[in-house]
Amino acid sequence: MLTKLKKSWFSNVRGDILAGITVALALIPESISFSLMVGVGPMVGLYTSFCIAVIISIVGGRPGMISAATGAMALLMVSLVKDHGIEYLFAATILAGILQYVMGVLKLGQLISFVPQSVMLGFVNALGILIFTTQLVHFVGASWIMYALVALTLVIIYTLPKFTTIIPSPLAAIIIVSLIAVAIGADLKTVGDRGLVESTLPLFHIPDVLFSFKTLWIILPYSFSLSIVGILESLLTASVLDEMTDTSSNKNKEVRGQGIANIATGFFGGMAGCALIGQSVINAKSGGRTRLSTLVAGAFLFFLIMALSDVVNKIPMAALVGVMIMVSISTFDWKSVFQIHKVPRTDAVIMIVTVIIVLITHDLSKGVFAGVVLSAFVFVGKMAKIRVSTAAAKSNTRTYKVTGQLFFGTTSRFVSLFDYHHDPERITLDFSSSHVWDQSAVTAIAKVKSKYEQLNKQVSFIGLNEESKLIIRNLGLTSSSGH
């Protein structure tokens, strides 16, 4: 037990502490930005990131992964807050956590393997576009100073890492741009104008909503979308870290952990969150490997909130907009666009459809669902191709080589591919390039065999793999078969 505890928490103390501090610094601007994106005060996003990071470090299934407030989740909550208010946001967060926990208990974590790469690319590309478009409202009626400071923020973010990595470039950009804005006395909107960051503890709070079926029907669609998107992004991030660190993680435990974290966050004034790909990669590249790094990230973030709230209030929105534009640029998979002509046409279509549906509905889960369904149809279409080739008849024998998958979707065509009346007396069906999947397939084979036998012709089967032999045998088609 002690050995397992040490491995999970204290096998990399120095690296984890330094990595956690770095991530905490990087979390501040994004947590605030995501809060403002939703239309709530900065403290909601900060409380979210603190609570989720601390809790997931204990109950999550992927050590070293960073979970907090995210853009993907924030986008789903905009209309809920606008139409019903912040208390419904808290209630939806709790319900989303409950749904996630149930999904974890049902072991749905492995379903991430059924989401095709083309859908994943559509998911992240749509997310990048949506994050960018939500920033455009800040430029309405803005002065040239706003544009200049946003541009300066981006320049700092992308050039500073070439000289030093001691401080995260997004944080450095916010500090520098904030100092410039104060020095020139620029009349710019600040974080404090959107809602004050306060040095206060998050308090336990039951959402002030009417507990009724009407309320349930209001929040359920949002909660379901939040739970699905949260799981997708968290499991995708976990898979990335698995590959980066050459370790494995418990996907179902991670889903349950995300649920527990969101339930608790909803009761402590936070909004739904999930794993962050960017910050998780930063943590891993900074040396974070165990649960301690995630715990330090959450705890140090809270220390910054309590100690530097007055400073945070003076941050100009121009700096945060610049950070969010950087997030949108880094989220978008540019390689998928430049190489779209190299991938199969169906994969390109699936990615584009996923993006379009997300942009139309502003719901990432609907886009992913549509992409998965379309991928399934494409897969079935490819599977539903079956053909037979014939060899020249020898000694009153003709051999048909069956190529393709034999299942309910290909049985009708399979039965029609044979020349029953003109074939010789002996027929051999070679299944070495095929597989028999289900009862419909066995029934089709039996039908072909029966048609030949009615013409007093003998049929034999060769090349059946073990699984195909077993299903044929179990369903009673044994005569002249299985050889």
Side-chain angles (χ1 to χ4, degrees):
M1 181 67 180
L2 290 176
T3 302
K4 185 177 180 180
L5 183 64
K6 181 179 179 181
K7 182 178 179 181
S8 298
W9 286 90
F10 306 114
S11 61
N12 183 42
V13 174
R14 181 179 179 277
D16 287 332
I17 291 177
L18 293 177
I21 291 174
T22 301
V23 171
L25 294 172
L27 279 174
I28 290 179
E30 292 192 6
S31 298
I32 295 173
S33 297
F34 294 142
S35 295
L36 301 181
M37 182 190 299
V38 174
V40 297
M43 295 308 298
V44 175
L46 293 170
Y47 284 159
T48 299
S49 296
F50 157 67
C51 290
I52 292 183
V54 170
I55 294 171
I56 206 68
S57 70
I58 301 171
V59 300
R62 169 66 253 184
M65 188 163 75
I66 305 299
S67 294
T70 68
M73 303 290 266
L75 286 167
L76 298 176
M77 296 179 271
V78 174
S79 59
L80 175 62
V81 173
K82 181 180 179 181
D83 296 338
H84 301 284
I86 193 171
E87 294 296 329
Y88 280 80
L89 172 65
F90 299 148
T93 296
I94 295 169
L95 181 57
I98 294 173
L99 292 174
Q100 287 180 325
Y101 186 82
V102 172
M103 292 175 187
V105 171
L106 296 176
K107 301 185 183 301
L108 299 183
Q110 58 263 37
L111 292 181
I112 188 66
S113 60
F114 290 95
V115 180
Q117 180 67 15
S118 55
V119 178
M120 288 294 189
L121 291 173
F123 172 85
V124 297
N125 289 345
L127 175 59
I129 294 171
L130 287 177
I131 291 175
F132 177 79
T133 56
T134 56
Q135 304 309 306
L136 299 181
V137 66
H138 297 293
F139 292 98
V140 177
S143 65
W144 68 269
I145 298 178
M146 170 73 174
Y147 288 88
L149 291 181
V150 170
L152 178 60
T153 301
L154 291 169
V155 170
I156 295 171
I157 288 174
Y158 287 111
T159 59
L160 183 63
K162 297 179 181 179
F163 301 98
T164 179
T165 56
I166 295 176
I167 182 172
S169 60
L171 185 68
I174 290 173
I175 293 173
I176 294 172
V177 171
S178 298
L179 291 174
I180 292 175
V182 172
I184 65 177
D187 184 18
L188 295 170
K189 292 182 179 180
T190 65
V191 171
D193 294 329
R194 302 293 299 272
L196 292 176
V197 176
E198 303 170 349
S199 299
T200 56
L201 292 168
L203 300 176
F204 182 82
H205 168 72
I206 297 177
D208 185 16
V209 298
L210 181 65
F211 291 91
S212 64
F213 281 108
K214 181 179 179 180
T215 300
L216 177 63
W217 287 119
I218 290 174
I219 65 173
L220 183 59
Y222 293 97
S223 297
F224 183 75
S225 296
L226 288 168
S227 64
I228 297 299
V229 170
I231 288 175
L232 282 172
E233 190 158 356
S234 297
L235 295 183
L236 173 61
T237 304
S239 298
V240 170
L241 290 185
D242 288 351
E243 186 173 343
M244 281 186 62
T245 61
D246 195 24
T247 58
S248 60
S249 58
N250 188 328
K251 302 299 189 297
N252 291 313
K253 183 178 181 181
E254 182 61 39
V255 174
R256 297 195 300 271
Q258 292 289 332
I260 294 171
N262 278 316
I263 292 171
T265 299
F267 281 117
F268 282 93
M271 59 187 184
C274 63
L276 283 160
I277 293 180
Q279 275 68 19
S280 296
V281 171
I282 289 173
N283 188 50
K285 290 187 175 180
S286 300
R289 289 294 182 271
T290 74
R291 298 178 182 276
L292 181 62
S293 62
T294 309
L295 177 64
V296 170
F300 193 70
L301 172 63
F302 186 66
F303 167 76
L304 294 173
I305 296 171
M306 299 298 293
L308 300 175
S309 60
D310 291 339
V311 175
V312 173
N313 284 322
K314 298 177 181 178
I315 297 174
M317 286 302 301
L320 295 183
V321 170
V323 171
M324 293 308 299
I325 290 176
M326 177 276 295
V327 171
S328 69
I329 293 172
S330 60
T331 298
F332 195 92
D333 192 311
W334 298 97
K335 185 178 179 181
S336 67
V337 176
F338 296 132
Q339 295 187 351
I340 194 169
H341 61 286
K342 296 181 180 180
V343 302
R345 185 173 300 177
T346 53
D347 287 350
V349 170
I350 290 169
M351 182 187 74
I352 293 171
V353 168
T354 302
V355 171
I356 291 174
I357 292 179
V358 171
L359 295 180
I360 292 175
T361 64
H362 281 227
D363 189 332
L364 291 161
S365 63
K366 289 179 181 176
V368 171
F369 178 76
V372 170
V373 171
L374 182 57
S375 298
F377 278 115
V378 171
F379 174 74
V380 170
K382 292 179 179 179
M383 287 279 290
K385 294 180 180 179
I386 194 166
R387 64 182 186 276
V388 299
S389 56
T390 61
K394 295 180 180 180
S395 303
N396 294 326
T397 300
R398 170 165 288 174
T399 299
Y400 283 96
K401 184 172 184 179
V402 183
T403 303
Q405 309 302 311
L406 190 56
F407 67 111
F408 65 90
T410 59
T411 53
S412 295
R413 175 166 172 76
F414 173 75
V415 173
S416 68
L417 292 174
F418 302 94
D419 190 357
Y420 299 98
H421 292 281
H422 297 97
D423 278 341
E425 296 178 359
R426 295 182 180 182
I427 309 300
T428 300
L429 303 185
D430 181 359
F431 288 95
S432 58
S433 297
S434 181
H435 185 93
V436 180
W437 285 100
D438 55 16
Q439 182 177 359
S440 298
V442 176
T443 301
I445 295 173
K447 186 178 294 186
V448 170
K449 184 173 183 292
S450 176
K451 282 178 175 289
Y452 277 117
E453 289 178 343
Q454 288 176 7
L455 298 172
N456 296 318
K457 298 178 181 181
Q458 183 180 354
V459 179
S460 62
F461 311 139
I462 62 173
L464 288 165
N465 57 39
E466 292 302 320
E467 293 83 358
S468 298
K469 286 181 181 179
L470 180 62
I471 190 172
I472 286 177
R473 188 180 303 116
N474 287 343
L475 291 176
L477 183 61
T478 58
S479 178
S480 299
S481 65
H483 302 297

